[in-house]
Amino acid sequence: MDLRRLGSLTAALLTAAALTACSTDVVEADDAKPSTAATGSTTPSGAPGGGPDRAGLPLAEAIAQIPGAAEQREGYERDSFRHWIDEDGDSCTTRAEVLIAEAVTAPEQGARCSLTGGSWLSYYDEVEVTDARKLDIDHMVPLAEAWDSGAHAWTPERRQAYANDLGSDRALVAVTAKTNRSKSDRDPAQWMPPAGSATCTYLVDWVGTKLRWGLSADDAERTALLELAEPCTDSVVEFEPAA
């Protein structure tokens, strides 16, 4: 062992012994972040927290933070949002990355990130899925809704970043194809997950995504969000603004 490190270690031990002799009441620091529980059987996830200086917002307060604006659909094309790219060059597209991250039982990865086996829980309808081909990756705020709510003014690069957002836990979510296609491009004023247990989680995820990307809400959407959020008294939204 390096003599300087040995000397430092010895000094540290002597100091610790002296402090222990002075007091036996030791308080240990806990760096773990507090958990956030939702009303119901699921936990709201939202987007990642904005760091130690940003506390989560109660759901109703978070809804109030969404900018208000009328929707603008003119010019929308799905191809305006390039998605399922392989951003880090590991042969796994965004779709595969989400499937791997959300698996309850991890799938096996083959050549070119082919996935076999594994299991997933679609929280929209509480259905267990054991075949990844039966899952869709849902954009929490659909691409058309994002366009309507502000993305029409973005650069192609920002729209691509939105469509492949792996920086947030819940901007993209693996769910049954049936529920994803039932949802289509509708907002919570028009569609909610069929499982009652999903309500608060879904609202937290939706609001967190809108705030993360600075997307707006029209009057009908805001009214629906506030009404649906009434039972979610313990739900908290945490988000980190997208770069």
Side-chain angles (χ1 to χ4, degrees), residues 57-66 207-208 211 222 236-239:
L57 293 171
L59 181 54
E61 291 184 22
I63 293 168
Q65 295 294 316
I66 300 175
V207 173
L211 290 173
R222 187 185 306 279
V236 175
V237 177
E238 297 179 355
F239 68 96

Side-chain angles (χ1 to χ4, degrees), residues 77 79-82 146-147 150-164 213 215 243:
E77 294 181 3
D79 290 344
S80 298
F81 296 81
R82 184 180 173 222
W147 177 276
H152 57 269
W154 293 352
T155 64
E157 292 77 16
R158 187 163 180 82
R159 287 195 287 266
Q160 175 178 301
Y162 176 83
N164 298 274
W213 287 93
L215 296 171

Side-chain angles (χ1 to χ4, degrees), residues 22 110 124 159 165 222-223:
C22 294
Y124 287 5
R159 287 195 287 266
D165 186 8
R222 187 185 306 279
T223 298

Side-chain angles (χ1 to χ4, degrees), residues 76 78-85 94-95 98 102 123-124 135-147 154 158-166 168-176 179-181 183-188 191 202 205-207 209-210 213 215:
Y76 170 71
R78 187 172 176 82
D79 290 344
S80 298
F81 296 81
R82 184 180 173 222
H83 55 288
W84 303 170
I85 64 172
T94 302
R95 171 184 165 83
V98 175
E102 295 198 356
Y123 92 82
Y124 287 5
L135 290 163
D136 280 356
I137 305 304
D138 182 34
H139 290 93
M140 175 54 55
V141 175
L143 300 180
E145 169 68 20
W147 177 276
W154 293 352
R158 187 163 180 82
R159 287 195 287 266
Q160 175 178 301
Y162 176 83
N164 298 274
D165 186 8
L166 294 173
S168 163
D169 289 343
R170 305 305 288 182
L172 302 169
V173 58
V175 296
T176 56
T179 53
N180 183 48
R181 294 166 198 184
K183 171 182 174 178
S184 186
D185 62 359
R186 294 185 287 178
D187 68 27
W191 186 91
Y202 187 79
D205 292 347
W206 180 278
V207 173
T209 301
K210 284 236 162 173
W213 287 93
L215 296 171

